[in-house]
């Protein structure tokens, strides 16, 4: 297996220049066993809110981000930026700002119906995972393309593209043995300020990454069964 090292440059307006695509086919039997194994592995993934302070193998996190960046995107515009934050002081500033927003949210901004929906998850405004986890991946969506000369160009299906990439990121982290959490403090503007991101980028999620704390607990959730989420035509 070889990873391409060609560097991306803007392709806007380029002609269609197809190349052959001939991936090896695995047998149906191999597909069945891979799919069954993946299904069982993915079923073991849990959102973790209590992290051990232990460091994580950083290249595994970088590889997971590279996996996420293989996601399909609208017009192949790849409208994402992943900021990997390890600096403890920056994580502390993110935690303080996030908790300031969450306090307002849990004190009433969310409303009774939303708070009732969250009750079984046991979440509150205290966000220790933002400083306990050894790394945060802050995902930004590029609402539009911003050239070095200030040229702006529309990006298409940005929410969908970044959502797919984050799904692939979570899968890659989990399959690499790392725990994660999708945290969406709202509003998230403070993340652009703390991390000095440009005007075309908008924070999408903060993803703490690490190992579960030895005393980690998770809610006793039940996933919908296959027949509850799928119908065949
Ligand atoms: N952003 C808040 C609230 C929250 C909202 C949803 I929807 C969740 O699934 C979990 C939490 C927080 O992070 O606590």
């Amino acid at each position: 297996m070889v990873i391409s090292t060609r560097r991306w440059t803007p392709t806007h307006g380029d002609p269609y220049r197809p190349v052959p695509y001939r991936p090896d086919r695995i047998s149906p039997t191999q597909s069945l066993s891979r799919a069954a194994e993946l299904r069982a592995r993915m079923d073991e993934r849990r959102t973790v809110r209590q992290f051990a302070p232990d460091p994580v193998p950083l290249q595994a996190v970088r590889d997971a981000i590279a996996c996420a960046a293989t996601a399909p995107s609208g017009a192949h515009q790849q409208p994402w930026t992943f900021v990997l934050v390890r600096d403890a002081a920056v994580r502390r500033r993110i935690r303080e700002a996030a908790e300031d927003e969450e306090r307002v949210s849990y004190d009433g901004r969310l409303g009774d119906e939303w708070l009732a929906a969250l009750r079984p998850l046991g979440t509150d405004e205290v966000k220790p995972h933002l400083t306990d986890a050894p790394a945060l991946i802050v995902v930004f969506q590029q609402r539009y393309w911003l050239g070095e000369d200030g040229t702006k160009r529309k990006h298409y299906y940005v929410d969908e593209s970044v959502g797919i990439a984050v799904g692939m990121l979570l899968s890659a982290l989990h399959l690499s043995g790392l725990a994660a959490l999708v945290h969406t403090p709202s509003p998230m503007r403070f993340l652009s300020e703390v991390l000095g991101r440009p005007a075309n980028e908008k924070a999408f999620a903060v993803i703490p990454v690490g190992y579960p704390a030895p005393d980690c607990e998770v809610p006793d959730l039940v996933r919908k069964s296959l027949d509850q989420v799928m119908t065949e035509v």
Side-chain angles (χ1 to χ4, degrees):
M1 279 183 290
V2 187
I3 297 173
S4 166
T5 55
R6 289 167 67 199
R7 278 192 77 74
W8 177 87
T9 51
T11 57
H12 184 86
D14 283 0
Y16 177 51
R17 263 190 233 105
V19 291
Y21 179 59
R22 307 281 183 272
D24 288 339
R25 252 203 214 193
I26 60 173
S27 72
T29 314
Q30 277 178 303
S31 282
L32 288 172
S33 70
R34 271 200 207 175
E37 192 196 330
L38 263 178
R39 177 181 175 175
R41 282 215 179 288
M42 291 305 291
D43 196 47
E44 290 170 349
R45 190 200 57 80
R46 292 302 310 258
T47 286
V48 160
R49 293 188 168 82
Q50 291 147 275
F51 287 86
D54 312 354
V56 286
L58 263 184
Q59 191 54 39
V61 180
R62 296 193 187 105
D63 280 342
I65 293 172
C67 283
T70 68
S73 60
H76 189 54
Q77 288 169 319
Q78 307 167 82
W80 41 61
T81 303
F82 302 88
V83 182
L84 175 56
V85 182
R86 288 184 289 143
D87 186 289
V90 176
R91 285 186 286 126
R92 205 173 319 115
R93 280 168 63 201
I94 290 176
R95 175 174 174 183
E96 282 163 12
E99 288 182 336
D100 285 346
E101 292 295 352
E102 296 295 4
R103 219 167 287 121
V104 183
S105 294
Y106 282 90
D107 275 353
R109 183 164 58 190
L110 295 180
D112 289 343
E113 187 173 352
W114 196 341
L115 288 173
L118 292 178
R119 204 164 297 130
L121 303 184
T123 59
D124 59 25
E125 67 276 17
V126 190
K127 302 298 181 192
H129 40 262
L130 294 172
T131 46
D132 291 350
L136 306 177
I137 301 171
V138 187
V139 184
F140 287 86
Q141 44 176 209
Q142 297 168 359
R143 300 302 308 175
Y144 52 90
W145 181 79
L146 188 56
E148 276 168 20
D149 62 354
T151 310
K152 293 179 185 178
R153 223 173 261 147
K154 192 170 164 47
H155 275 164
Y156 302 94
Y157 296 101
V158 174
D159 288 328
E160 292 83 348
S161 304
V162 178
I164 293 167
V166 167
M168 293 174 65
L169 176 64
L170 297 176
S171 301
L173 290 168
H174 172 65
L175 295 173
S176 306
L178 300 173
L181 153 70
V182 180
H183 176 52
T184 51
S186 175
M188 287 199 272
R189 211 177 356 240
F190 70 89
L191 289 164
S192 289
E193 287 154 26
V194 172
L195 298 172
R197 300 312 305 167
N200 64 323
E201 292 186 5
K202 185 169 171 245
F204 184 82
V206 184
I207 303 181
V209 178
Y211 295 107
D215 59 349
C216 178
E217 293 181 325
V218 295
D220 187 17
L221 303 180
V222 178
R223 293 196 169 107
K224 291 180 179 175
S225 62
L226 186 56
D227 68 289
Q228 289 176 302
V229 300
M230 185 184 79
T231 176
E232 302 200 30
V233 177

